[in-house]
Amino acid sequence: MSTEVNAIQFFSGFQVSDLWYLAKGAGGTIVISAIAISVGTILGCLFGWALSVSRWANMTLGSVLDVFRSVPLIIQLLLFFNFLPILGLPVGPFAAGTIVLIFYTAALVAQVARGGIEAVPSSMRNAARSLGMTYWQDIRYVVMPVGLRAVLPAWTGVALGVLKDSALVSVLGYIELLRASQILVTRTQEPFIILTIVGLFYFALSYPISKMTARLEQRWQYD
Amino acid sequence: MIELKSVEKKFGDITVLKGIDLSVEKGEVISVIGASGSGKSTMLYCINALEKIQSGQIIVDGIDVHADQTNLNELRRHIGMVFQQWNSFPHLSVLDNVALAPKLVLGKSKDEAYSIAEKQLKHVGLGDKLDVYPTRMSGGQQQRLAIARALAMEPDYMLFDEVTSALDPELVGEVLDTLRLLRDDGMTMIVVTHEISFARDVSDRVAFFHQGVIEEIGQAQQLINDPQKERTQQFLSNVR
Ligand SMILES: Nc1ncnc2c1ncn2[C@@H]1O[C@H](COP(=O)(O)OP(=O)(O)O)[C@@H](O)[C@H]1O
Ligand SMILES: [Mg+2]
């Protein structure tokens, strides 16, 4: 009886080394989210700009982006991961997950960026141009700062969402925080402890983002 | 000199300017009056090519504004414009609002740009607001900021599009005073306005717009006090 209990505890106990394993999983989440958020934001800004200047882009690019925004991420991941090899382009889980997540992020950011550009009154842009500024000077020194301030909260929402959604990349077998926790739960049968720790990890990753943007927002308040 | 020759402007199928002829001499102040929708703003936008024209010509100091080879960014340095909405850049301090274009467009150093900006802000009576953010200021102050911002490019011409229309009544005076100041400096100005007595007292000539044409134009006192055309008489009796 007592040996059996010991054996179970030995088998299933949560150990300090498991924390390290979770931390490595968190590392996976950080890497894939950081790439997706940064590259996706840059792409998304370009897309958003295109949407705002051209009706043609709005129809074509706009509908492509709509697909990325509306098809569930998990389906995009599985389709992309399983179909590329058929085309003779084998990709690993990390590459496939990153690429899909980048475009997913870009599709969401494009709407935010377009909103930011459209938040700048056309008369303000006319004022900038009437001072002799070029199109790109107006974009760089007026539209970007004014628009960014208008949509920073929305962008923060996208970034935090992507951070959490990156957990779905685990369906491809990429080991990130959620996947690492599932492996541990299976082994230890201690979901409560592990999921609590994982929750704390996600919080620790999100908190700096929301804190940083909240501080920017405060600094940028027009008063 | 600004010359408009048979200028036509359409938005889609609608002709908004139906052959405008106007010439503005150096040092002259022209006020433009007329009902809302008669094309006054559109004419100003065409003069610095914020809008294209469909036929006719606009010539500023010998340069054909709407010719393909015209460098518009270069042209616009010489033509300041102030709008109905004051359009302060909300992310920049008052000083930076004014210094931005001299830095970017004229290539001035930071110090030079700041000293130009400070000079113009003092000129319009905002010398004590340099470090303030514009959203902290009244509409009248922001409109004077917009004027200083345009003046910092040292333009040869200034276009004003109903710069007092969005202001609370008690703030109109300070902006009109600033326009008077510019007139006294000898600035060449086209002023679209609903302030009839301002048009009469401050401008050399007044043009009355009606449905995309200049219905009547003449010496300011004469046109306001003794209009010849029936439509001008009607308009003036309605706004009084
Ligand atoms: N960007 C635009 N697109 C379509 N129509 C316009 C545009 N801007 C002005 N208009 C039309 O052109 C006419 C003249 O407008 P505007 O020049 O603003 O008149 P005003 O300044 O005398 O009130 C109006 O009928 C207006 O609806
Ligand atoms: Mg108007």
Side-chain angles (χ1 to χ4, degrees), chain A residues 99-120:
Chain A
I99 292 169
V100 170
L101 213 51
I102 282 174
F103 278 93
Y104 178 70
T105 311
L108 296 174
V109 171
Q111 295 302 327
V112 173
R114 190 239 297 257
I117 292 168
E118 285 170 1
V120 183

Side-chain angles (χ1 to χ4, degrees), chain B residues 31 33 199-200 203-208 216-220 223-224:
Chain B
S31 286
I33 60 173
R200 183 193 55 214
S203 29
D204 301 304
R205 284 190 295 159
V206 174
F208 169 66
E216 184 169 356
I217 181 165
Q219 194 266 332
L223 186 134
I224 303 287

Side-chain angles (χ1 to χ4, degrees), chain A residues 22-23 25 49 84 100 102 114 118 127 138 153 159-160 175 188 215:
Chain A
L22 282 180
W49 170 79
L84 271 197
V100 170
I102 282 174
R114 190 239 297 257
E118 285 170 1
D138 166 47
L160 293 177
I175 302 203
T188 62
R215 188 170 296 172

